[in-house]
Amino acid sequence: MAGIGFELRKLLRTESYLGLLRAYTYASIISSGPWVFSIVGLIAIGVLSIGTVYPDALIVQFQVTVTYLIMSSLIVTGGLQLAFTRWVADRLFEKRDRAVVPNFLGVTLVTTAASGTLAWLFAWIGFRDASNLYRVLLIAGFALMSNIWVATVLLSGLKQYRAILLLYAGGYGLSVTLAWALRPLGVEGLFAGFLGGQFAMWFGMVALILRNFPLREPISLECFGRRQMYPELLLAGFFYNLGVWIDKLVFWYSEQTSQHVIGWMRASVIYDLPVFLAYLCVIPGMGIFLVKFETDFVEWYDKFYDAVREGGSLQDIAHYHDRMQETVREGLYQIMKVQTITLLAVYTFVPSLFAWIGISDLYIPLFLVHAAAASFQVMLLAVLNVLYYLDRRREVVAVTVTLTVLNVALSLLSITLGAEFFGYGLALALLGALMLALWLAQRLFRKLEYLTFMLQ
Amino acid sequence: MNTMPADLVPPPGTRIDVMLLLEGTYPYVSGGVSSWVHQIVSGFADLQFHIVFIGSRPEDYAQPRYQMPKNVVGLTHHYLFSEAVLPPPREWRGDPRTAEVVERLHDELRRKQHAAARAELLARSLKLMREDMTLAYLLHSHESWRYMTEQYQLRCTDPSFVDYFWTVRTMHTPLWTLADLAEQLPPARVYHTVSTGYAGYLGAVLSRRHHRPLVLSEHGIYTKERRIDLFSAQWISDNLPVLERTAGETGYFRELWIRMFESLGQMCYDAADPVIALYETNRQRQIADGADARTTCNIANGIHVGPFAATRTQRPEVPPPVMCLIGRVVPIKDVKTFIRAVRVASNRIPELEGWIAGPEDENPEYARECRELTRSLDLEHKVRFLGFQKLVELMPKIGLVVLSSISEALPLVLLEGYAAGVPAVTTDVGSCKQLIYGLGPEDEALGASGEVVGIADAQALGQACARLLSDPDAYRRAQSAGIERVERYYTQPLMFEKYRLVYEDALARSEARQRGVPDEVGRVATILRGEAPWPAREESA
């Protein structure tokens, strides 16, 4: 997300508390916006459909379907998102701007073909009991969601954060509206409406990309060539997304925690809702993440490498190294602080809040564990981001694989231990991966200059 | 794109009499040293030569400029700054004990020492480089990094760490790759290097490793030339604002480089016997730089007199009023001073002309400036730029060979002029004084074959030319002194005779060493200096 720094720095320089607040708020909205819209959008469609769509199970079918689509498309394209972003960044660095859009279209083509085929197989084999319209929407939806991630990632690579935010707001607004309008048609209506909004959003993204980068060369698959994308990034992107979703899969497919919804899809009533709500608690942490790691850290990072390249003294280099390290430490500490305060506030207000919304207070303990887990995830994201900046791709793979393995193992364990341990699997897995990432980052910082100079 | 020149590998068991170690010259670069090497290799047809060419990077050299004589049985290329020879980067801790040895080694190098200690040091470092202290250790280990950063903080006065880092790395890497090369080269009976520097270091390594004699023929003085290069080099940054630089301050990196070349030169001087200079001033310089005086001697370049002598009959009765600079139009030849001297001389002799015989393509900007100067001095009808000329055709048409250079070694054009009966006027550089006034009582008795003036003194240069050209007696005396001097001291047979002595002595010592008979230090050099052999004395280790 490099590049947001400039706008944020301007806000931060106002030297007033109000300016500071504005900067952090802006950062929070920028960084959390897209997924907040998706969660709120999904819940809104559900709430608006109550009383119109019968039975309520159909609403659940719709919400679960969309959740599965989001999850599976994120996991399937996770590697490509990371590797392609890096590929684009490398081309921009080479001043080969013209190659970006032809390859984006190439990636779109491949994504559509691969995800479409995959979804078609699933719809054909796994959803014999569903209607044909549902199956067609499933296939189209999977291809569409996969393409939305690819386009989002390119736009954030091109530093169009504000545009992304507006597109998501508009897209989910339209999804909610269309779903509301089509709700009389049941689950297929809700689904079609939702996808209509998503399609408009994707269309807007592509239009924006083509407006910024007019197509001057034919569509290209260059980025899929040998030695074009880093295999470690493909792995890291895949395992990160798998790692943060796999506990849900474990709960969905364990007999005692789940029930059948539609086709191969199962859901866990007890597990899913707290997870989604918990993610709303990390908005402040994400703001800090953006300011500290994408603004302050990058500033020292740039100075460090400038000093390395342009002949600074060793003392200067060491100084910028220290400041980089300090920023990481400070950033993690601040995320921890703001998340603790948030969790304390949530802890105080959540019973009355849940009562007001009408959610059983049985969910509260699990919700709190999940909120803590989500806070760990923000910190993990921050440290991984540092490792990406310092180009330690193998370390990132190690961390994300660890996350996946721990999350499966501990989630399974938590199910056998009983309901009061639910959620701890994810939380501990994230904590473990975070510790590993911190240890690797610390080891890296100890020998950063050595690695920078002596391994060339 | 040119392809990398191929090695010529002699079949195993091939006898190699002389292995020539050449840095950046023969057969890819034409010029003084290369033509000399070609002369020697062709001249000793009964010896089998192996040529080791040391270059910077393969892409810096095009096609060979010389047809290799048949007695070259082997040719090896080595590139000091080619990426291909480097070990792949990998993280490595490195052995702290090795680091300790490296530290001691550098401490000892910094101290002034005697030859035996230096030889011990070289032997020890070579052993280490084969064992623990590999190139990978230098380039990639944590220990090496620790040592480098410590040294930077301790010694480096220049702020840029990245420059320090690359300087140290670039400087040291060739020492390893050359030590590796020394392992791979086939053994030879005698090693012969025509410079110190990297080739000289390789010579020292080979000579120590195989216990065979090393001959050094130094044309210029390598460390002095490097010093001049480094002073004017753009690629070594000082990182000091112009105003902070004090006059005469060399900058830390330049000093590092110069110190290294001095160390390499010292190692070569220690290992070589004889240490041959082209002329006396350079021999003194070698001694000052640390060569053992007993091993030093001079062997001047020799020319093929015949073709030039044949042109004497074509000379007109009265010397042509032409002063001629023979050389490339480049700043080191100081052509501008020559042009000004033409102005001075033509004020005395109205019909005088100044010719410049040499290519102008090497430095077109300088050539343009020279032509402009000609115009502004109103000499357009007197100064002629002739371009490259065949000297046997040119000589009968000119009255004087003039050199206005700011640097020369032993300029062959003076000798060629002498042979053709043309006296010379030169600046006081290199061996010019020796060539014009003679070296030693016998040579001096022949008289002056022209005149020597100060560098960049156009007035004196012009007056000297005018004096010689307008005084027929003085001219004739200079002419006959020149002819006598070149025929007596600077002929090719004479040079070959001396080198025959050098090679025979070295080959004999080579065989003797194999039988365990130690060298008699400076034997051949003493003979060549024409002195009585040094009294035998105890060799202190």
Side-chain angles (χ1 to χ4, degrees):
Chain A
M1 278 203 228
I4 187 67
F6 184 70
E7 255 175 288
L8 279 177
R9 246 173 261 169
K10 232 171 28 189
L11 285 174
L12 286 170
R13 282 214 188 97
T14 53
E15 283 185 17
S16 69
Y17 289 114
L18 198 64
L20 207 65
L21 190 66
R22 266 176 57 201
Y24 277 96
T25 310
Y26 181 65
S28 304
I29 293 171
I30 288 283
S31 54
S32 311
W35 47 265
V36 170
F37 286 132
S38 59
I39 293 171
V40 172
L42 267 189
I43 294 173
I45 293 172
V47 171
L48 289 175
S49 308
I50 293 170
T52 314
V53 181
Y54 290 107
D56 280 358
L58 293 183
I59 302 175
V60 173
Q61 278 187 352
F62 161 72
Q63 283 174 331
V64 167
T65 305
V66 172
T67 307
Y68 269 68
L69 280 186
I70 291 177
M71 171 200 71
S72 50
S73 60
L74 275 175
I75 294 173
V76 166
T77 61
L80 190 63
Q81 288 176 40
L82 264 189
F84 184 61
T85 312
R86 172 64 187 267
W87 187 89
V88 168
D90 286 348
R91 297 299 82 77
L92 292 180
F93 183 77
E94 288 170 8
K95 305 248 178 286
R96 282 188 52 211
D97 300 20
R98 280 165 169 239
V100 171
V101 173
N103 278 283
F104 164 68
L105 295 179
V107 169
T108 302
L109 183 71
V110 170
T111 307
T112 309
S115 59
T117 311
L118 200 66
W120 179 75
L121 272 174
F122 270 85
W124 186 39
I125 303 168
F127 293 85
R128 288 172 198 279
D129 55 347
S131 71
N132 265 338
L133 180 57
Y134 175 86
R135 287 156 88 180
V136 167
L137 288 173
L138 195 67
I139 299 167
F142 187 63
L144 181 59
M145 296 309 285
S146 297
N147 274 309
I148 284 174
W149 306 133
V150 172
T152 305
V153 141
L154 182 70
L155 278 176
S156 49
L158 302 176
K159 291 147 198 173
Q160 306 276 338
Y161 304 101
R162 206 191 290 261
I164 295 174
L165 194 68
L166 291 175
L167 281 165
Y168 269 81
Y172 273 93
L174 191 60
S175 278
V176 172
T177 315
L178 287 177
W180 180 75
L182 296 175
R183 77 205 144 126
L185 302 178
V187 65
E188 284 85 358
L190 292 175
F191 200 5
F194 173 78
L195 290 181
Q198 296 299 299
F199 182 77
M201 181 168 100
W202 176 74
F203 194 80
M205 288 177 175
V206 175
L208 187 63
I209 290 169
L210 289 176
R211 209 184 66 187
N212 278 323
F213 284 79
L215 188 62
R216 292 212 174 83
E217 287 174 21
I219 182 168
S220 165
L221 294 177
E222 184 196 348
C223 62
F224 290 102
R226 272 171 64 83
R227 295 177 183 282
Q228 290 289 318
M229 290 202 256
Y230 290 104
E232 298 99 327
L233 291 181
L234 290 170
L235 283 176
F238 172 74
F239 278 110
Y240 177 77
N241 285 295
L242 187 64
V244 298
W245 280 97
I246 200 145
D247 57 304
K248 285 102 191 155
L249 281 165
V250 167
F251 274 85
W252 290 339
Y253 288 95
S254 294
E255 277 300 329
Q256 71 265 43
T257 54
S258 66
Q259 55 280 137
H260 175 259
V261 177
I262 183 171
W264 277 353
M265 291 172 186
R266 303 174 65 82
S268 174
V269 177
I270 180 166
Y271 199 72
D272 297 349
L273 191 58
V275 171
F276 287 123
L277 293 177
Y279 272 107
L280 297 177
C281 300
V282 295
I283 298 171
M286 285 300 284
I288 306 258
F289 163 71
L290 200 62
V291 170
K292 276 293 167 189
F293 289 85
E294 291 291 356
T295 310
D296 293 0
F297 177 80
V298 171
E299 193 175 329
W300 296 114
Y301 168 89
D302 286 342
K303 282 196 173 146
F304 177 83
Y305 281 101
D306 282 350
V308 165
R309 271 192 300 270
E310 275 144 34
S313 69
L314 191 57
Q315 289 84 335
D316 283 348
I317 293 172
H319 174 67
Y320 299 138
H321 171 159
D322 287 346
R323 297 311 297 265
M324 254 199 289
Q325 213 173 341
E326 242 169 61
T327 314
V328 174
R329 209 168 29 224
E330 230 174 69
L332 289 173
Y333 182 53
Q334 286 192 12
I335 293 176
M336 210 150 43
K337 266 199 304 199
V338 77
Q339 284 310 117
T340 310
I341 293 168
T342 310
L343 290 188
L344 284 174
V346 167
Y347 184 74
T348 314
F349 296 116
V350 84
S352 41
L353 197 67
F354 272 32
W356 182 66
I357 305 177
I359 302 171
S360 158
D361 53 4
L362 289 175
Y363 286 122
I364 291 175
L366 186 55
F367 168 77
L368 289 173
V369 174
H370 273 310
S375 308
F376 292 145
Q377 196 181 328
V378 178
M379 290 167 82
L380 178 64
L381 201 63
V383 183
L384 287 180
N385 197 48
V386 169
L387 291 174
Y388 279 131
Y389 264 110
L390 301 172
D391 206 24
R392 306 306 290 175
R393 301 189 297 269
R394 277 190 209 168
E395 276 86 342
V396 178
V397 175
V399 171
T400 50
V401 169
T402 306
L403 173 65
T404 306
V405 172
L406 280 180
N407 201 5
V408 175
L410 294 175
S411 296
L412 283 171
L413 184 68
S414 71
I415 289 174
T416 51
L417 287 178
E420 61 267 42
F421 291 97
F422 289 179
Y424 283 97
L426 173 66
L428 289 178
L430 282 165
L431 186 61
L434 174 62
M435 288 301 167
L436 176 65
L438 279 174
W439 180 72
L440 289 171
Q442 178 181 313
R443 213 180 55 143
L444 171 65
F445 271 116
R446 267 196 205 128
K447 56 185 185 184
L448 186 60
E449 285 96 339
Y450 163 83
L451 294 173
T452 309
F453 282 97
M454 293 295 272
L455 293 192
Q456 45 182 339
Chain B
M1 275 308 287
N2 54 309
T3 50
M4 202 190 283
D7 281 359
L8 169 63
V9 183
T14 306
R15 174 177 55 95
I16 297 168
D17 297 308
V18 179
M19 185 174 279
L20 274 172
L21 311 171
L22 308 173
E23 187 173 323
T25 57
Y26 188 77
Y28 297 102
V29 177
S30 56
V33 178
S34 290
S35 61
W36 181 87
V37 171
H38 192 69
Q39 227 179 337
I40 287 283
V41 176
S42 313
F44 290 94
D46 54 325
L47 295 179
Q48 302 205 13
F49 286 89
H50 183 116
I51 287 172
V52 177
F53 173 79
I54 299 173
S56 45
R57 294 170 310 162
E59 56 267 36
D60 296 339
Y61 306 94
Q63 293 304 305
R65 304 292 180 92
Y66 294 87
Q67 179 79 39
M68 290 267 184
K70 282 208 170 54
N71 57 327
V72 173
V73 295
L75 172 64
T76 306
H77 298 88
H78 180 80
Y79 299 99
L80 295 173
F81 304 113
S82 146
E83 299 266 320
V85 296
L86 300 180
R90 112 191 131 82
E91 191 176 347
W92 187 25
R93 192 133 290 285
D95 178 14
R97 274 172 310 164
T98 313
E100 217 173 280
V101 179
V102 176
E103 260 162 76
R104 253 189 295 141
L105 211 87
H106 277 95
D107 281 345
E108 286 173 41
L109 271 174
R110 254 176 233 114
R111 256 179 273 137
K112 294 275 176 226
Q113 295 178 323
H114 53 99
R118 281 194 302 263
E120 216 269 317
L121 200 67
L122 176 61
R124 198 143 45 91
S125 64
L126 285 172
K127 187 168 170 293
L128 260 178
M129 281 153 88
R130 279 203 301 277
E131 292 162 2
D132 304 321
M133 205 171 63
T134 58
L135 186 55
Y137 172 88
L138 167 81
L139 297 180
H140 305 309
S141 77
H142 277 279
E143 283 297 336
S144 166
W145 169 252
R146 184 189 57 76
Y147 182 65
M148 237 185 263
T149 48
E150 266 175 28
Q151 292 298 308
Y152 167 83
Q153 279 160 346
L154 215 62
R155 297 176 204 284
C156 185
T157 51
D158 191 292
S160 168
F161 177 73
V162 73
D163 289 337
Y164 171 83
F165 177 80
W166 284 106
T167 304
V168 168
R169 200 176 235 221
T170 320
M171 225 161 56
H172 283 74
T173 305
L175 303 186
W176 266 262
T177 61
L178 285 172
D180 275 351
L181 175 66
E183 295 286 308
Q184 291 152 21
L185 287 171
R189 295 166 73 195
V190 168
Y191 297 96
H192 185 178
T193 174
V194 298
S195 65
T196 61
Y198 291 114
Y201 165 79
L202 178 63
V205 171
L206 284 165
S207 158
R208 300 255 178 245
R209 176 171 147 70
H210 297 291
H211 199 52
R212 301 281 190 173
L214 172 68
V215 175
L216 166 65
S217 314
E218 221 179 345
H219 283 245
I221 296 295
Y222 189 95
T223 44
K224 180 184 148 200
E225 285 167 8
R226 286 293 86 78
R227 201 182 271 273
I228 292 170
D229 286 354
L230 288 164
F231 264 108
S232 48
Q234 293 294 313
W235 54 272
I236 301 176
S237 54
D238 274 326
N239 293 300
L240 285 176
V242 177
L243 289 175
E244 281 177 32
R245 249 176 261 164
T246 45
E249 192 184 31
T250 49
Y252 185 73
F253 303 133
R254 287 163 211 267
E255 256 165 42
L256 267 187
W257 278 104
I258 290 165
R259 260 220 322 270
M260 178 181 81
F261 285 122
E262 282 170 353
S263 295
L264 293 182
Q266 184 68 69
M267 286 180 195
C268 182
Y269 287 145
D270 287 344
D273 182 6
V275 173
I276 303 165
L278 281 183
Y279 54 95
E280 183 60 16
T281 321
N282 271 5
R283 188 177 79 89
Q284 294 302 335
R285 174 110 203 184
Q286 289 171 332
I287 296 170
D289 284 352
D292 181 344
R294 290 175 297 170
T295 63
T296 59
C297 61
N298 298 315
I299 300 181
N301 286 342
I303 62 153
H304 202 32
V305 173
F308 290 98
T311 66
R312 285 177 214 159
T313 54
Q314 300 165 30
R315 291 197 71 74
E317 199 59 24
V318 182
V322 174
M323 47 192 281
C324 183
L325 182 145
I326 303 171
R328 296 159 295 138
V329 183
V330 290
I332 202 169
K333 302 284 178 191
D334 200 358
V335 182
K336 290 180 183 172
T337 291
F338 173 78
I339 295 167
R340 289 194 188 95
V342 173
R343 178 75 268 164
V344 172
S346 66
N347 290 345
R348 299 258 306 265
I349 309 172
E351 68 274 24
L352 177 126
E353 287 190 16
W355 295 358
I356 296 158
E360 294 169 56
D361 50 0
E362 194 172 311
N363 191 337
E365 175 64 13
Y366 184 73
R368 197 183 54 76
E369 287 170 20
C370 288
R371 283 173 184 274
E372 249 164 42
L373 179 66
T374 308
R375 263 195 297 284
S376 69
L377 292 177
D378 199 17
L379 289 171
E380 279 153 302
H381 304 292
K382 294 197 174 295
V383 171
R384 290 165 60 187
F385 289 84
L386 302 175
F388 181 79
Q389 290 289 310
K390 278 204 173 127
L391 294 188
V392 281
E393 288 166 14
L394 179 72
M395 288 299 181
K397 300 176 200 154
I398 63 174
L400 286 175
V401 170
V402 180
L403 282 186
S404 48
S405 306
I406 53 173
S407 173
E408 285 286 349
L410 189 141
L412 292 175
V413 286
L414 292 193
L415 300 173
E416 288 159 348
Y418 289 174
V422 186
V425 177
T426 74
T427 44
D428 186 7
V429 290
S431 61
C432 287
K433 238 179 186 156
Q434 169 183 336
L435 291 178
I436 289 187
Y437 298 125
L439 177 72
E442 204 184 312
D443 191 359
E444 281 163 21
L446 296 175
S449 42
E451 215 171 307
V452 175
V453 300
I455 293 175
D457 190 346
Q459 189 72 23
L461 188 66
Q463 281 169 355
C465 290
R467 244 192 323 272
L468 267 170
L469 286 171
S470 57
D471 180 347
D473 282 342
Y475 187 88
R476 212 163 299 125
R477 279 199 305 277
Q479 197 174 31
S480 56
I483 291 170
E484 190 67 20
R485 182 159 288 129
V486 68
E487 289 186 346
R488 195 182 288 187
Y489 298 108
Y490 300 101
T491 63
Q492 190 166 285
L494 196 62
M495 178 179 85
F496 281 148
E497 195 183 300
K498 289 179 174 174
Y499 266 100
R500 166 77 57 197
L501 202 61
V502 166
Y503 280 151
E504 275 173 3
D505 171 76
L507 287 166
R509 273 187 294 137
S510 177
E511 302 315 313
R513 279 188 183 190
Q514 298 304 299
R515 296 194 303 273
V517 182
D519 288 10
E520 196 182 308
V521 175
R523 183 171 67 186
V524 77
T526 309
I527 297 168
L528 285 169
R529 282 197 308 272
E531 293 171 11
W534 288 68
R537 61 176 189 187
E538 294 297 311
E539 283 302 315
S540 51

